[in-house]
Amino acid sequence: MIVGERKPFDEITGMLNGYKKVLILGCGTCVSVCMAGGAKEVAVLASQLRMDSGIQEKGVEIGEETIQRQCDREYIEPIVEMAKTYDVVLSMACGAGVQLLSDMLVPTPVLPALNTSFIGICEEEGVWAERCRGCGDCMLGITGGICPVARCAKTLFNGPCGGSVNGICEVSKDTPCAWQLVYDRLKALGKLESLEEIQPIRDWGPSSSGIPRGVYREDMAGVAVESEGSSK
Amino acid sequence: MTDTYEPKVIAFCCHYCTYSAADLAGSMRLEYAPNIRVVKLMCTGKVDVPLLLRAFEDGADAAFVGG
């Protein structure tokens, strides 16, 4: 899932300075699961902002709403007219949700209430960890399901480096060496021999180092338009 | 008027324990401070952050959760 964290309260109130009618819009998918931007977090932030408005005598009106996803048009469309009755929309989605919402709500401004952290997993209650950088060329099949792009500080493809000491990365004593994890996993899988294969220089073309990436599915793109046309 | 600050305390009490204790205190004619407002819940597992914040929004100075 996309993991996010709510921005500091002072930063949020700073962004909202001058607006009198604010809609807080939650997202019911990733950031809801990581307890940063779902319905409950919307209720908490709304309550805090109402109290702040009362104490500072700002007279701000706060609206609350949560939709299933802010990264899909079909979920935003039903709330567009309602959202445009506000001076500003404070989105509690990830950066993708904020951007699509901004596109669809012009001229109503959309502000981010979260910082988008990473694509990751929940390790235990209250602890999330990065697992994927979305590099576009997955090599988990040859590393036993441990990603060296996301989890090795040097993004090595033929590790470990000399900085791996007792299974710990030299960059941080709290970070396990990804390549030690790869070794241990491949050993457990009985596939250690795959480490003998030298990985070639990586083509970073599919990664995020260039222009914004996109996925085009020939079998799907335009299908909705075609079916709409045929039903008329 | 008194200058003594008397905070309004809202007490969220579990039906099965704390509320029963408060009820028993009443039966025993024991007194507790009048600035406490008791709200009975079937379980304090119901208490979450929005509920506590709502208490403060509505004028409580402190919230007490007993369960």
Side-chain angles (χ1 to χ4, degrees):
Chain A
M1 76 183 121
I2 307 285
V3 178
E5 276 187 289
R6 205 184 85 178
K7 285 178 175 289
F9 188 67
D10 288 345
E11 186 180 341
I12 292 173
T13 52
M15 286 191 293
L16 294 176
N17 201 18
Y19 293 111
K20 292 293 181 194
K21 200 174 173 194
V22 179
L23 173 65
I24 306 175
L25 190 66
C27 181
T29 308
C30 308
V31 292
S32 198
V33 177
C34 69
M35 291 179 274
K40 186 171 280 189
E41 290 73 32
V42 167
V44 169
L45 181 56
S47 180
Q48 287 178 292
L49 287 172
R50 275 194 296 268
M51 282 192 273
D52 178 69
S53 172
I55 292 166
Q56 313 271 351
E57 297 179 348
K58 292 177 182 172
V60 178
E61 182 188 333
I62 308 285
E64 301 173 44
E65 187 64 61
T66 299
I67 59 175
Q68 185 62 44
R69 272 199 291 281
Q70 292 185 28
C71 56
D72 269 321
R73 290 180 184 277
E74 64 193 272
Y75 295 109
I76 298 176
E77 278 163 0
I79 58 105
V80 166
E81 292 310 313
M82 178 275 289
K84 283 182 174 176
T85 63
Y86 286 83
D87 295 339
V88 66
V89 176
L90 185 62
S91 167
M92 296 195 80
C94 70
V98 173
Q99 290 185 56
L100 183 56
L101 198 61
S102 298
D103 292 346
M104 295 180 70
L105 294 187
V106 173
T108 305
V110 178
L111 300 173
L114 302 189
N115 290 323
T116 308
S117 306
F118 46 73
I119 303 173
I121 59 152
C122 180
E123 288 190 318
E124 57 184 273
E125 276 185 53
V127 181
W128 290 269
E130 184 172 19
R131 286 292 182 271
C132 179
R133 291 263 168 93
C135 71
D137 188 8
C138 191
M139 64 178 297
L140 288 170
I142 52 176
T143 56
I146 313 282
C147 179
V149 177
R151 301 175 71 177
C152 170
K154 296 176 181 174
T155 315
L156 293 179
F157 287 87
N158 294 285
C161 69
S164 175
V165 180
N166 297 325
I168 300 298
C169 174
E170 65 177 340
V171 172
S172 165
K173 63 179 173 53
D174 299 321
T175 305
C177 167
W179 277 98
Q180 179 70 51
L181 296 175
V182 171
Y183 178 86
D184 293 342
R185 177 67 53 80
L186 290 175
K187 191 175 181 184
L189 296 174
K191 293 185 175 179
L192 268 182
E193 72 279 0
S194 66
L195 280 179
E196 291 172 11
E197 186 184 336
I198 302 299
Q199 297 305 315
I201 293 171
R202 170 90 162 192
D203 172 10
W204 288 100
S207 81
S208 61
S209 54
I211 58 170
R213 295 168 292 174
V215 173
Y216 179 77
R217 284 278 301 269
E218 209 171 79
D219 56 329
M220 297 172 75
V223 169
V225 178
E226 279 173 24
S227 61
E228 266 178 36
S230 62
S231 65
K232 283 177 185 171
Chain B
M1 284 290 287
T2 172
D3 290 337
T4 310
Y5 170 61
E6 291 217 350
K8 274 186 262 177
V9 180
I10 186 160
F12 295 106
C13 299
C14 169
H15 167 77
Y16 294 98
C17 49
T18 313
Y19 187 83
S20 302
D23 201 26
L24 182 63
S27 302
M28 294 171 70
R29 301 290 185 264
L30 298 174
E31 289 184 10
Y32 59 84
N35 54 331
I36 294 173
R37 273 75 160 172
V38 176
V39 175
K40 181 172 80 170
L41 301 173
M42 291 312 289
C43 174
T44 43
K46 167 68 181 169
V47 176
D48 59 1
V49 176
L51 184 69
L52 295 171
L53 287 173
R54 188 176 159 192
F56 293 121
E57 269 192 73
D58 291 346
D61 297 303
F64 165 86
V65 179

